[in-house]
Amino acid sequence: MSFFIKKVTVPERYGNSEHEEEVLNIPAIVGTALGAIVLIVLLFTSIAVVGTGQVAVVTRFGNIVGFEGQGIHMKLPIDSYNIINVTQQQVTAEYSTATKDNQSITQEITAQVAVNPESAEELYQKFLGNHMDAIVEPILSDGFKSATAKFSLEDCITARDQLSEEMLKAVKERLAEYGINVVSVEVKNVNLPEEYKAAVERQKVAERDQVTAEVERQTAEINAETNRITAESLSDENFKQKFYDKWDGKLPTYMGGEGSLDMLLPSTE
């Protein structure tokens, strides 16, 4: 007889006789369903998956009891797997900093950081998985500000590579103490003060006016030289010299009046 079917004695509709009938065993069905649900829940809570580039710190009632790498793991339902990402992560933020010449600027800076898997358990013990906000962000902010304070405003614009290297030095060693490696730092953008932008614009206008004035001066000199050369070419002496250069030395056969050589020369008129 099936576990979910049971026989019950049912009186006849007419008369005093009875007969047996098969009916569903509702308590058995409900009990089995509940048992299956509990079994499924226990099964799912007894399996933990740690993804690629992750490690898990295993805790039981708040106490660290183990450390697991990537893969599928069987665990007690009362155990918690606290995932820590150990792949390279990008941190991008804007930082308000002051330069060596006391100019306030806003910098957009990107840092690439990665947690050393061997330090994940200690890191979790200290910061309970909140290490990015608790220690990474503050050290990055402080290091970037201290590095910027060594550069002038102009250097922050023209020497970004050197500034990025100085920032990397300022944070790398400090975060290494916590098992966090800073791979790179890059200054993406620098937002300059409004007064500095205005000063740069005024300088550009002044330089443009200076270039215009120089072009006008050179043009005036060229025009003056052209006029001088033209005036000299039309002088009597120059005019006569051109005549002599082309004369073959022969006098004309006929002359009128008291003819003289001067009469034969061209006149500037």
Side-chain angles (χ1 to χ4, degrees):
M1 183 177 61
S2 174
F3 179 73
F4 300 108
I5 301 296
K6 67 177 180 178
K7 289 184 177 182
V8 295
T9 301
V10 180
E12 294 287 349
R13 180 174 299 180
Y14 304 102
N16 296 325
S17 61
E18 297 178 344
H19 67 279
E20 291 185 344
E21 290 185 2
E22 292 184 347
V23 296
L24 293 175
N25 190 348
I26 301 300
I29 294 175
V30 173
T32 302
L34 291 176
I37 293 174
V38 171
L39 183 62
I40 292 173
V41 171
L42 288 175
L43 180 63
F44 275 99
T45 56
S46 298
I47 296 177
V49 178
V50 181
T52 303
Q54 297 178 334
V55 295
V57 178
V58 184
T59 58
R60 185 179 302 153
F61 302 118
N63 298 316
I64 297 176
V65 295
F67 178 82
E68 299 288 355
Q70 67 182 43
I72 300 176
H73 307 276
M74 297 301 296
K75 69 181 187 69
L76 296 176
I78 58 175
D79 288 347
S80 296
Y81 272 50
N82 304 279
I83 302 298
I84 294 181
N85 196 337
V86 293
T87 57
Q88 186 169 299
Q89 300 179 68
Q90 178 173 295
V91 180
T92 300
E94 289 189 347
Y95 301 88
S96 297
T97 56
T99 62
K100 183 171 65 175
D101 45 357
N102 294 323
Q103 296 290 331
S104 296
I105 60 175
T106 301
Q107 298 169 302
E108 181 184 355
I109 306 172
T110 295
Q112 303 288 344
V113 301
V115 173
N116 185 346
E118 297 177 355
S119 304
E121 185 174 343
E122 182 181 356
L123 202 60
Y124 181 84
Q125 189 173 14
K126 289 181 178 179
F127 304 106
L128 298 178
N130 193 34
H131 53 277
M132 293 299 293
D133 293 334
I135 193 65
V136 175
E137 292 281 2
I139 287 182
L140 291 181
S141 178
D142 184 61
F144 295 161
K145 291 178 180 179
S146 63
T148 304
K150 299 177 182 179
F151 289 74
S152 66
L153 177 58
E154 185 175 354
D155 290 339
C156 290
I157 302 170
T158 60
R160 287 192 187 180
D161 291 342
Q162 291 86 339
L163 177 57
S164 297
E165 291 178 3
E166 192 66 29
M167 289 178 172
L168 179 60
K169 292 178 183 177
V171 299
K172 190 176 183 66
E173 186 175 347
R174 292 180 60 188
L175 282 175
E177 297 176 1
Y178 297 93
I180 300 172
N181 181 33
V182 184
V183 180
S184 65
V185 173
E186 181 182 1
V187 179
K188 291 287 189 179
N189 187 36
V190 179
N191 188 12
L192 303 174
E194 292 300 326
E195 57 270 19
Y196 181 82
K197 293 180 182 179
V200 171
E201 186 61 29
R202 288 194 298 269
Q203 183 177 357
K204 289 181 179 179
V205 172
E207 291 175 352
R208 185 169 61 247
D209 292 343
Q210 185 177 1
V211 171
T212 302
E214 180 64 18
V215 171
E216 292 177 351
R217 185 189 65 79
Q218 294 179 2
T219 302
E221 289 181 355
I222 293 173
N223 291 336
E225 183 66 14
T226 302
N227 293 335
R228 183 187 66 78
I229 295 173
T230 302
E232 289 180 355
S233 67
L234 296 177
S235 66
D236 290 343
E237 292 298 327
N238 189 52
F239 208 67
K240 288 180 180 181
Q241 184 62 43
K242 288 183 179 180
F243 175 79
Y244 292 143
D245 291 341
K246 293 186 177 182
W247 184 39
D248 58 5
K250 297 179 180 180
L251 293 174
T253 306
Y254 300 97
M255 295 185 189
E258 300 177 356
S260 66
L261 185 59
D262 289 342
M263 295 177 59
L264 300 175
L265 293 176
S267 172
T268 56
E269 297 178 356

